Each structure stands twice: as structure tokens, then as C-alpha cells.
Amino acid sequence: QCLAPWLYSEEMRYLIRRWKFEGATHLTNTLCELFLSETGTQMPDVDILVPTPLHWRRQLSRGFNQSKLIANALGQRLNLPVLESLKRQKYSTPQHKTRHRADRQLNEYHFVSTQQFAGLRIALIDDVITTGSTANAASKSLLNAGADKVQLWCLARTPYTGTP
């Protein structure tokens, strides 16, 4: 299940890019409120929030993990624990904003869970979903670690236009 209440439209793209690439981390609470304003009573039951990890090089250059920021804001608002229990393994992938859809789908993602989640319902947190490749790989790792159910919660989704 994917909960992505906003389309990655011109306005949302502007906010997310400022937040993510220009270090405007003060927008985190605004983005959290936008997410919650559209999901409201539709929030599925989960036990924990897990942010999608960045490769260490990307986090070092950016200075933060945007998924962790939004997970912490949501966790505080929803009174849910946030666990950084996924790690990216092996290598960094090129940023999706510069790649064609077909290329993004060919990426091989390697995630490992650092703990077990027997019977827990997890919300995997990310900023934008494009093809779902990252979420699929991360979800498999969480399910392999015993999670009962994994949902993806994103701020926005890219529209599928049928072209790369």
C-alpha cells in the first residue's frame, strides 16, 4: 500500500526541491502538515515509522536525510516511534531527478535491516515516489526482517505519463 497524497506538481516540486537540495529544512513541518492535511482520517494503523536511508556519501553532501526529517515530524505528530533500522549497502545510485524512468527501474538497490520486526506494521517513509524501485527493495528487506506489513508513506508521487 502506498500513501502519497500529493502529486509532484510544479508547486510541490518547488517546495520539495528547496527543502531537499537547498537545505531549507525549516519546511519540514510545513510538508508534514501538508501530508497530514490530505490523509487526515485515512491514516492506516502502523506500529513504527522507518525512514528510507540515503547512501552515506549523499547524506554527507546534503547534510541530512530528508526521509528521516519527515519521519521524525510525522512520528512526533502521530505519537509513533521512528527507527532508523534500514541501511543501504554497497554503493550509491545516481540521483533519480536526472534519470529517465526506464533507467531508474534498472537500478539494483541493496538494503539490509539492522533489527527484527516480528509481527509489526511498518510505514516506510520517503519524500517522492517515482517508479517504486527503492520502496520495493526496502520493503522486501523489512518483510524479510519479520514485518507483518509494510506501507509506503510519501509526500508526493510523480505522475506516470507513459513515457520515460
Side-chain angles (χ1 to χ4, degrees), residues 49-54 59 65 68 71-72 81-87 112-115 117:
L49 306 178
V50 174
T52 301
L54 284 178
Q59 184 160 337
N65 175 348
K68 181 182 173 188
N72 286 337
V82 176
L83 299 177
E84 290 183 81
S85 57
L86 277 180
K87 301 292 179 204
V112 63
S113 177
T114 59
Q115 62 190 99
F117 296 106

Side-chain angles (χ1 to χ4, degrees), residues 28 32 46-53 65-87 114-115 117 120-126 142 153:
T28 302
C32 177
V46 297
D47 301 306
I48 60 170
L49 306 178
V50 174
T52 301
N65 175 348
Q66 71 280 358
S67 297
K68 181 182 173 188
L69 292 179
I70 201 70
N72 286 337
L74 286 169
Q76 188 173 32
R77 286 291 312 275
L78 301 172
N79 198 28
L80 288 168
V82 176
L83 299 177
E84 290 183 81
S85 57
L86 277 180
K87 301 292 179 204
T114 59
Q115 62 190 99
F117 296 106
L120 293 177
R121 300 164 297 175
I122 299 174
L124 177 65
I125 309 298
D126 210 346
L142 292 169
W153 292 5

